[in-house]
Amino acid sequence: MRHLIDSTDLTLEETGKIIDLALDIINNREAYSHVCEGKKLATLFYEPSTRTRLSFTAAMMELGGNVLGFSDAGTSSVSKGETVADTVRVVSAFADIIAMRHYKEGAPKVASLFSRVPVINAGDGGHAHPTQTLTDLLSIRRELGHLDNLTIGLCGDLKYGRTVHSLIKAMKRYPGNKFVLISPAELRLPDYIKNILPSNYTEVETLEEAMPQLDVLYMTRVQQERFEDKAEYERLKDSFILDVEKMALAPEKMIVLHPLPRVNEISTDVDADPRAAYFRQVENGKFVRMALIYTLLHHDRLTEEKERPLHPTTCRCSNTKCITATEPVERLTYVTDAGGERCAYCDHLLEK
Ligand code: NCD
């Protein structure tokens, strides 16, 4: 059994196969309309979502399967104080596969340790969002034809933007990709992602500087819900606004992606530009989730799992938003390539 908790849980080859399968589904919709008949997807959403939950639901329905679950933790046993571990033990008796979104970082990892069925991380706090990454990869493949040798500009909230973290991890595995980071100083990438960036990344302070060199511009929303200081959000929320004037500086073939929802960061005038790919990107999310669900339910399509070795530890995670701060799970750690020790649930440093 395999789970998708982090965008690198799938090998490069497996990721390529899922994208190819999504492309085949796009061209042969009818052929896949019964392949998950009799199977059930549980969507456990502890945090608001429109497109991700509906996209999972539509994906399972188009495969001929059924969907159950909740979209508001307030209406589930969570409000009675149930742990993620117990909820998942129960749900895995009813469903064949689970998609979980949670405001606590590392919650889907906990779920995967207690589940009897595959668990998909549908977004955990400000940490990771691997199915958005599959959506982004399919979008880049369809729009530009390849996933290597690209210059990708990431703009906005790189600190709390989980889609950015997962996308960097995935795109750095393809040869020749370069990253341009465009964010206010306060919203720079967390160190656990910066540490894995290839050395050829650049950081700039304005969109104008970045635009001429980009193949992909990945815009993100400033993540209001993650700010402890609301005044700081108000100060930073309009740091970058993509408009028609700035688009005039971009190459003719550059594409603009955005995981959505958009707030203010892309002016609506840009929508008519053929390079604005964000509404095409949404539909790709459904197709790639169809490919993912089908693959995890037919795991002979995947190679043998080679999990990163995890070790028990007595050290605490330094991240107050980590699931280990509130749920009594075994503390686990892994050793990074640079030799440091990080929390196996949320990737933050451990406190000695
Ligand atoms: C993103 C998310 O939830 O992280 N949305 C999505 O899944 N499409 C981006 C965001 O909320 O800004």
Side-chain angles (χ1 to χ4, degrees), residues 51-52 101 129 132 162-163 221 223 225 259-261:
R51 81 220 74 236
T52 304
R101 169 168 289 195
H129 195 347
Q132 181 62 46
R162 56 192 174 194
T163 61
R221 169 179 75 88
Q223 306 279 300
E225 64 277 32
L260 303 178

Side-chain angles (χ1 to χ4, degrees), residues 1-4 10 14 17-19 21-22 25 32 34-43 45 51-68 95-100 117-122 130-131 134 284-302:
M1 181 174 73
R2 293 278 298 272
H3 308 283
L4 180 66
L10 296 165
E14 289 168 343
K17 278 194 183 161
I18 288 177
I19 293 170
L21 179 59
I25 292 172
Y32 292 90
H34 300 285
V35 292
C36 288
E37 231 156 50
K39 299 284 182 194
K40 281 171 279 172
L41 164 74
T43 56
F45 276 59
R51 81 220 74 236
T52 304
R53 191 173 54 80
L54 293 183
S55 161
F56 269 111
T57 304
M60 191 53 165
M61 287 163 78
E62 288 201 26
L63 294 167
N66 290 305
V67 185
L68 64 165
D96 302 285
I97 185 162
I98 293 172
M100 174 183 281
V117 301
V119 175
I120 302 171
N121 178 2
T131 64
L134 290 174
N284 289 330
K286 180 186 71 183
F287 293 125
V288 93
R289 289 182 176 101
M290 289 172 77
L292 175 69
I293 292 168
Y294 181 76
T295 302
L296 291 177
L297 288 176
H298 299 82
H299 52 88
D300 50 333
R301 298 178 61 87
L302 293 162

Side-chain angles (χ1 to χ4, degrees), residues 316-322 324 342-343 346 348-351:
R316 283 187 164 277
C317 177
S318 59
N319 177 11
T320 53
K321 293 174 181 161
C322 178
T324 58
R342 289 188 174 269
C343 172
C346 75
H348 279 66
L349 283 172
L350 293 170
E351 273 164 8

